[in-house]
């Protein structure tokens, strides 16, 4: 199964946060097809600029270089995100939902609002 990580999941993985759970950590460490969206890097950079996320200052680069596969944002992803029902208003999460659905990926998240969508999910 190919996985797309929600932003909080990437951050938990990077910090070895117990919220993730050992089974999920092990899976992320050993699964070949684990993706991080460009939307996640963008979201982290914006939250750092706004002071909502702190150190390290090179967090976007750490995420980029953590070994997961990069998933760029395409025009088709943008169109798909626009056409989603407004069950969730966060534009970054809407992009992740659209990308997971468009690319046949399973979205790894704890976000209850995302779980309202008809998209393959792995709840953590």
């Amino acid at each position: 199964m190919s996985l797309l990580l929600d932003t909080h999941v990437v951050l938990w993985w990077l910090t070895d946060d117990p919220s993730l759970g050992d089974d999920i950590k092990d899976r992320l460490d050993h699964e070949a097809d684990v993706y991080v969206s460009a939307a996640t890097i963008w979201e982290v950079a914006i939250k750092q600029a706004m002071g909502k996320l702190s150190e390290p200052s090179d967090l976007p680069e750490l995420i980029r270089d953590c070994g997961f596969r990069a998933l760029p944002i395409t025009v088709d992803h943008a169109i798909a995100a626009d056409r989603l029902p407004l069950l969730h208003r966060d534009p970054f999460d809407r992009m992740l939902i659209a990308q997971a659905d468009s690319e046949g990926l399973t979205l790894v998240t704890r976000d209850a609002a995302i779980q309202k969508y008809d998209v393959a999910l792995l709840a953590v």
Side-chain angles (χ1 to χ4, degrees):
M1 169 186 327
S2 297
L3 306 174
L4 175 59
L5 305 182
D6 198 348
T7 304
H8 62 274
V9 174
V10 175
L11 296 174
W12 290 346
W13 182 84
L14 278 174
T15 61
D16 200 28
D17 189 302
S19 300
L20 200 49
D22 292 335
D23 55 331
I24 299 295
K25 285 182 203 174
D26 186 59
R27 190 167 184 177
L28 298 182
D29 288 339
H30 297 98
E31 189 80 35
D33 288 330
V34 179
Y35 291 85
V36 173
S37 172
T40 292
I41 305 293
W42 186 20
E43 179 179 17
V44 165
I46 288 173
K47 285 186 175 182
Q48 279 194 313
M50 294 173 63
K52 292 183 177 185
L53 276 177
S54 57
E55 300 295 325
S57 61
D58 64 341
L59 185 55
E61 291 84 0
L62 288 173
I63 295 170
R64 178 196 64 201
D65 299 336
C66 72
F68 298 130
R69 298 176 73 175
L71 182 61
I73 297 171
T74 68
V75 171
D76 289 335
H77 294 152
I79 292 168
D82 176 61
R83 294 194 174 147
L84 289 171
L86 284 173
L87 304 174
H88 197 329
R89 296 195 181 270
D90 183 298
F92 298 107
D93 288 336
R94 291 174 60 78
M95 180 55 69
L96 295 177
I97 294 162
Q99 288 183 299
D101 189 51
S102 297
E103 302 299 328
L105 303 172
T106 299
L107 184 53
V108 183
T109 188
R110 182 171 287 174
D111 189 327
I114 289 176
Q115 295 175 22
K116 295 176 184 176
Y117 285 89
D118 184 23
V119 63
L121 290 173
L122 176 58
V124 295

